[in-house]
Each structure stands twice: as structure tokens, then as C-alpha cells.
């Protein structure tokens, strides 16, 4: 089947409709690990990229191409990861598709999905920064976020990508220059009920505030209040409570920010998290540290909040 798809793509290289359909077939076939491995070895990504380069104005080819690459590019093999990164043409094709078709929410969604696969560790991020240009990547992603403010899935995937990119100190500076802190907080404010947006947003703010300067910058843009609001709106979310306690504790260690953390309402939320998630090591650790830093006995406060909730 895979050979037949490649043959059709080669024979009908001038037909956007055929290539759109072919990319969609490859995406579906690659859901099977065996067929995916076969398609990877036979140059599936190369064929898809060629189709995208030939039909840059065809939205269907770009959409299905990004979706196919997202499936084909995913791998846990370190050797394959390096080979994948070495071939930057397909990364450029995805960026170009997102930039040219910013009106397509699905292209933004799949494009961010592809880039998130690459940006899941610091080494890969540096390759992106050097070979593609981190400024260009940020510009395209933020433009897509601005265009699709109402799409929760686009916001969640875009912020997830920005979160990963922010693991690199080099990238952090570029992200802050391009107004990513504001974009993340705006998305969190726009979609307060979406746990995915809130958790990714909190982690993005966490990664952007790994030193005092970053913490101050995030706090100045309303980051403390955004995190507190996320914890209050999603009290049953383990992920949000964990990152919330950890990030607010980091804020509370900075002179000038501790009082702001208190005023925002961190104490009762941390106490409830500690009381609710007794078996979660990170919430217990950072929640109690936060309560101690804010000037209270974490054990007494947490028990008081639990008793109050039972009334």
C-alpha cells in the first residue's frame, strides 16, 4: 500500500488534490507502527515535504502534509532523532505552511504538534534555533495564537510548544522579547475553564521564570495572578496544583514578590492542595514550602482548610 501511495504522489505530482489525498492516506497508515516504520525508511517525510513545496498555496496539501509529518516524525530512537533534525527542509516546510496559511486553525494545530516533537529537550531546541531561527519560529507561532484566540486546542498546543522552547536559556530571552509572556497569560485569561490551556500556561510561565529576572518579568505581566486563578479554577487537577505550588513558591522567594503572592490568595489554595493530595510528593513538598515561606505552619493551615471543607 505504501509503495502505491508513493507511486501516485510521483505520477501525479502536479495534482494538489491527489497529493492532499495521498498525504492523508500516509497519515492514517502510519497509525500502524509497522507501516509507519516502513514509510519512514522509504522516505515518507521527503515525499510529503516535496508535495508541500510544490503546492505551497494549496491549503489541503499543507494541512494533510503537516498532519502526516507529525505522525511520521515521532520517534524515541536517538539516532533517528538526529537524522530527523539534520534534514531541516521539512521543518522549514511546516513553518512556511503555518506562516502562509495562518487562517487555518488546523494547520496551526498540526504545525505546533510537529514542532513540539522536536522541542522536547534542550539539545533539539538548540538545533532548531541555529538551523531555523528561533525568532522566526516564535513569530509564526504567536501569529497563529493571535489569529485563533477562540480555539482552545490551538492555544494549548501552541503554549505547549512555547513551554518546551523555554527550557533553553537562549530561547527564553527571545521568547520574552517577542511578548510570549503576554500571549500565554492572555490565552489563560481567555480560556479559564480549559485545564489543558491552564496547565500548559503555568508550565510555560514556570520555564520563563527560572531566574530572578525572569520571575520579575512574569510577575510584572500578571503571572502570579494567572497561576493563582488557574489553581482556584482547577482544584482537582493534579498537574495544575503541582506546577502552581512550585511556581508560587519560587515567586515567594524573591524579595518584593512574596507579599504579592500572599495578596493574590496563594495561602488557602496551597493549603487545600496539600490537604487534598496527601499522596502526591511534589505537591506536599512545594505546597508546604510555599506555606512556610508565606509565614504559616503548613500542617495546621492544611488541616484547618480540610476541616473547613467538611463543614
Amino acid at each position: 500500500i505504501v509503495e502505491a501511495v508513493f507511486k501516485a504522489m510521483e505520477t501525479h505530482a502536479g495534482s494538489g488534490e491527489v497529493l492532499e489525498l495521498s498525504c492523508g492516506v500516509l497519515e492514517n497508515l502510519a497509525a500502524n507502527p509497522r507501516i509507519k516504520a516502513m514509510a519512514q525508511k522509504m522516505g515518507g517525510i521527503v515525499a510529503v515535504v516535496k508535495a508541500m513545496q510544490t503546492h505551497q498555496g494549496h491549503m489541503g496539501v499543507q494541512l494533510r502534509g503537516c498532519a502526516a509529518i507529525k505522525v511520521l516524525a515521532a520517534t524515541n530512537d536517538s539516532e533517528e532523532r538526529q537524522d530527523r533534525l539534520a534534514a531541516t527542509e521539512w521543518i522549514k516546510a511546516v513553518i512556511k505552511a503555518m506562516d502562509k496559511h495562518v487562517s487555518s486553525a488546523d494547520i496551526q494545530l498540526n504545525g505546533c504538534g510537529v514542532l513540539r516533537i522536536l522541542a522536547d529537550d534542550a539539545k533539539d531546541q538548540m538545533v532548531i534555533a541555529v538551523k531555523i531561527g528561533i525568532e522566526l519560529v516564535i513569530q509564526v507561532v504567536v501569529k497563529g495564537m493571535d489569529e485563533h484566540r477562540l480555539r482552545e486546542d490551538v492555544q494549548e498546543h501552541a503554549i505547549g510548544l512555547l513551554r518546551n522552547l523555554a527550557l533553553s536559556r537562549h530561547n527564553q530571552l527571545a521568547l520574552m522579547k517577542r511578548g510570549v509572556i503576554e500571549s500565554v497569560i492572555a490565552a489563560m485569561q481567555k480560556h479559564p475553564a480549559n485545564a489543558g490551556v491552564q496547565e500548559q500556561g503555568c508550565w510555560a510561565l514556570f520555564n520563563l521564570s527560572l531566574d530572578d529576572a525572569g520571575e520579575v518579568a512574569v510577575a510584572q505581566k500578571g503571572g502570579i495572578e494567572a497561576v493563582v486563578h488557574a489553581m482556584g479554577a482547577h482544584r482537582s487537577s493534579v498537574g495544575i496544583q503541582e506546577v502552581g505550588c512550585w511556581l508560587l513558591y519560587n515567586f515567594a522567594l524573591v524579595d518584593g514578590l512574596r507579599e504579592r503572592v500572599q495578596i493574590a490568595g496563594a495561602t488557602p489554595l496551597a493549603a487545600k492542595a496539600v490537604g487534598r493530595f496527601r499522596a502526591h510528593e511534589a505537591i506536599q513538598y512545594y505546597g508546604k514550602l510555599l506555606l512556610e515561606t508565606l509565614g504559616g505552619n503548613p500542617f495546621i493551615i492544611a488541616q484547618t482548610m480540610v476541616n473547613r471543607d467538611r463543614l
Side-chain angles (χ1 to χ4, degrees):
I1 300 176
V2 175
E3 294 93 330
V5 173
F6 288 158
K7 182 65 175 176
M9 294 177 76
E10 184 179 351
T11 303
H12 303 283
S15 171
E17 289 70 22
V18 171
L19 294 180
E20 176 185 356
L21 180 61
S22 299
C23 289
V25 171
L26 281 176
E27 176 193 358
N28 293 331
L29 289 174
N32 180 305
R34 185 181 61 82
I35 298 178
K36 174 181 172 179
M38 184 189 304
Q40 287 172 328
K41 288 179 180 178
M42 294 177 65
I45 292 180
V46 173
V48 172
V49 168
K50 187 175 179 180
M52 293 175 69
Q53 291 173 334
T54 304
H55 298 275
Q56 294 182 18
H58 195 294
M59 188 177 292
V61 172
Q62 301 303 309
L63 172 57
R64 297 272 59 91
C66 286
I69 290 175
K70 183 172 71 172
V71 178
L72 291 169
T75 177
N76 294 320
D77 186 280
S78 59
E79 208 172 294
E80 286 184 26
R81 288 175 65 87
Q82 292 309 310
D83 290 342
R84 182 187 66 197
L85 284 167
T88 58
E89 285 306 309
W90 62 269
I91 309 174
K92 292 178 181 177
V94 170
I95 292 292
K96 187 169 289 187
M98 293 174 68
D99 191 28
K100 188 175 183 65
H101 299 281
V102 69
S103 64
S104 170
D106 289 334
I107 287 178
Q108 303 306 310
L109 189 63
N110 282 293
C112 285
V114 171
L115 296 174
R116 279 182 78 178
I117 292 171
L118 290 179
D120 59 2
D121 69 58
K123 289 182 180 178
D124 287 359
Q125 292 161 27
M126 286 307 296
V127 174
I128 296 173
V130 171
K131 293 191 175 182
I132 305 298
I134 189 63
E135 289 79 10
L136 175 60
V137 175
I138 297 169
Q139 176 187 331
V140 170
V141 173
V142 170
K143 186 167 71 169
M145 290 179 70
D146 291 342
E147 181 74 15
H148 302 284
R149 291 186 179 92
L150 300 181
R151 282 284 296 261
E152 296 177 344
D153 51 355
V154 172
Q155 299 299 312
E156 180 181 350
H157 279 70
I159 295 172
L161 168 59
L162 297 172
R163 163 194 174 177
N164 288 353
L165 290 174
L167 287 169
S168 160
R169 178 58 182 164
H170 172 270
N171 292 347
Q172 287 167 15
L173 298 174
L175 288 161
M176 286 191 276
K177 272 186 179 180
R178 298 292 305 187
V180 164
I181 295 173
E182 295 91 329
S183 295
V184 169
I185 292 175
M188 294 174 73
Q189 292 172 338
K190 189 72 175 176
H191 303 285
N194 186 289
V197 171
Q198 298 302 310
E199 183 172 352
Q200 293 299 330
C202 286
W203 278 115
L205 295 178
F206 182 96
N207 289 345
L208 287 166
S209 58
L210 293 178
D211 58 25
D212 286 358
E215 286 165 342
V216 171
V218 170
Q220 287 177 340
K221 304 297 183 181
I224 292 173
E225 292 76 13
V227 173
V228 168
H229 191 280
M231 290 181 68
H234 300 276
R235 299 184 185 189
S236 63
S237 169
V238 176
I240 291 174
Q241 299 304 312
E242 176 187 356
V243 64
C245 287
W246 192 352
L247 182 49
L248 292 174
Y249 167 61
N250 289 348
F251 281 131
L253 292 176
V254 180
D255 291 338
L257 297 183
R258 186 175 302 111
E259 184 179 3
R260 188 164 170 181
V261 172
Q262 285 179 314
I263 292 172
T267 299
L269 289 173
K272 286 185 177 181
V274 169
R276 180 190 287 258
F277 299 101
R278 296 179 181 276
H280 195 284
E281 186 176 342
I283 291 177
Q284 292 298 307
Y285 181 71
Y286 289 107
K288 288 173 181 177
L289 282 177
L290 173 59
L291 292 172
E292 288 177 355
T293 304
L294 294 178
N297 185 313
F299 302 100
I300 295 175
I301 294 174
Q303 188 58 51
T304 300
M305 298 304 297
V306 170
N307 292 338
R308 182 185 300 173
D309 286 344
R310 288 174 178 168
L311 295 176

